[in-house]
Amino acid sequence: MKKLFAVSLMILLVAGMVFAGGNRASGTTPTPGQTMIGMAMPETHVLRWLKDGASLVEEAQKRGYFAAVNWANADQPTQNQQIQSFLTQGAKALIVGCINDGVAPVIAEARRDGVAVIAYDRIISNSADYDYYITFNNFKVGELQGQAIVDALNLNAATATAPKRIALFAGSPTDGNAFFFFDGAMSKLSPYIDRGVLQIVGPAPRASSDTANFLRISTENWSASIAKTRMENLLISDARDVTLDAVLAPNDTLARAIIEACRADAKYRTSLPVVTGQDAEFESMMSIKNGEQYMTVFKDTAKLAEAAVILADAILKGQTPNIPGAVIASSIGLESIGNTGRKTVTAYLLDPILVTRSNLLVPVNAGFYNDTESAQLR
Ligand code: BGC
């Protein structure tokens, strides 16, 4: 049944698109004088990116641009080819949600061609060839996840004689966001670990800077099957003789994979650990509604897409960007979000929102789902 929801969501999202090999263009060729913006999206196995791509095209069209979007199926060489093809077609700006820093050489090509690049949602690491990054406050995403666990387990009342137990998962180590999500979450959990009232089961990095242990909990390419297998293994090894009270999961796709693994273990069949998430994916929202997944983080990607196109529009017109609803990372002490390893770009941050069963309608009322989905969530 759940699979069905996901598939129907995909079909609804791609309906009406020219969807051949992950391509969608707003017309076959630009009209004379029309400026082209190319949008490179990383993947479709995490559903948000389908929405991101569709919203970006819509926002660019609204402002008179010729827009084309590609999804690269989490395959880095494919993404580079797709971006090169935008350059060949004469794109003047690129909005790039990258897969990993293997994209840097084509970003350098774009700069040589005088094409403006905006890093979208994910930073483009190891590049000095672009100036702007637009994303959410990714540290806060993690803080919301960590704080939700603190509240759900009532850690303030927990004791070291009966500690609560948690297993840690992180996102892809090739995605800069994964580090901020994790560090944000640990900033909330660490005081309780220090007091001995929260115990980590399995690999126990206290920060992403503990590279060896961070890699042990991370999930290459945000792959659900990797997370599910790791959870299954954890349940028959480190977590075999204890009951987990919580699992820190970095996004909804992985949260559902972890829940699936737990469900197969008799210990959790009737009572799941508190599992966090992110993205407000419809399936996870249903899971929260049904009392399975504990929380998600709503990041309004329609707003992110709008902000990215406003930014591109300002850059192309040589104007000073003014992005409604965004703060510049350095103004709130989060300059590091814009650090590519080669320079610090201007990073604009949108605000992520905590969603639990008690405020499930927030993303619904923001128009984040189609009518059928909204009706099911209400
Ligand atoms: C995004 C998340 C998403 C993850 C996997 C991250 O970079 O910020 O929203 O869940 O990638 O696609």
Side-chain angles (χ1 to χ4, degrees), residues 43 46 48-49 121-122 175 177 181 222 251 279 299:
E43 64 210 23
V46 175
R48 65 159 283 183
W49 298 106
D121 194 83
R122 297 176 175 176
D175 178 348
N177 289 347
F181 300 150
W222 297 91
N251 79 352
D279 290 334
K299 302 192 302 186

Side-chain angles (χ1 to χ4, degrees), residues 153-219:
L153 301 186
N154 195 11
L155 288 181
N156 285 315
T159 60
T161 41
K164 303 286 182 183
R165 297 193 170 89
I166 186 169
L168 304 175
F169 282 70
S172 183
T174 56
D175 178 348
N177 289 347
F179 298 74
F180 284 99
F181 300 150
F182 183 70
D183 288 336
M186 293 312 277
S187 75
K188 295 293 180 184
L189 297 174
S190 270
Y192 301 93
I193 300 166
D194 289 341
R195 275 174 36 203
V197 302
L198 180 65
Q199 271 177 11
I200 301 172
V201 177
R206 294 290 291 273
S208 63
S209 54
D210 174 358
T211 310
N213 281 312
F214 182 73
L215 287 175
R216 292 173 73 201
I217 65 154
S218 66
T219 315

Side-chain angles (χ1 to χ4, degrees), residues 40 102 120 125 128 148 165 288 301 353:
Y120 181 81
S125 295
R165 297 193 170 89
I288 294 171
T301 52
I353 297 169

Side-chain angles (χ1 to χ4, degrees), residues 79 118 123 191 230 286 288-289 292 298 313 316 322 370:
Q79 183 166 65
I118 295 170
I123 194 140
R230 200 187 139 230
M286 288 303 287
I288 294 171
K289 187 178 179 190
E292 295 163 355
F298 172 45
D313 188 47
L316 288 168
N322 169 26
N370 65 40

Side-chain angles (χ1 to χ4, degrees), residues 90-111:
K92 293 286 179 274
L94 297 172
I95 296 177
V96 179
C98 70
I99 295 161
N100 59 46
D101 62 3
V103 76
V106 289
I107 302 306
E109 269 177 54
R111 172 134 288 180

Side-chain angles (χ1 to χ4, degrees), residues 198-248:
L198 180 65
Q199 271 177 11
I200 301 172
V201 177
R206 294 290 291 273
S208 63
S209 54
D210 174 358
T211 310
N213 281 312
F214 182 73
L215 287 175
R216 292 173 73 201
I217 65 154
S218 66
T219 315
E220 190 73 24
N221 266 337
W222 297 91
S223 153
S225 64
I226 293 177
K228 186 170 176 221
T229 305
R230 200 187 139 230
M231 189 68 211
E232 285 165 352
N233 288 336
L234 205 63
L235 290 172
I236 54 171
S237 57
D238 293 313
R240 199 190 58 189
D241 300 322
V242 294
T243 300
L244 290 170
D245 300 291
V247 180
L248 175 70

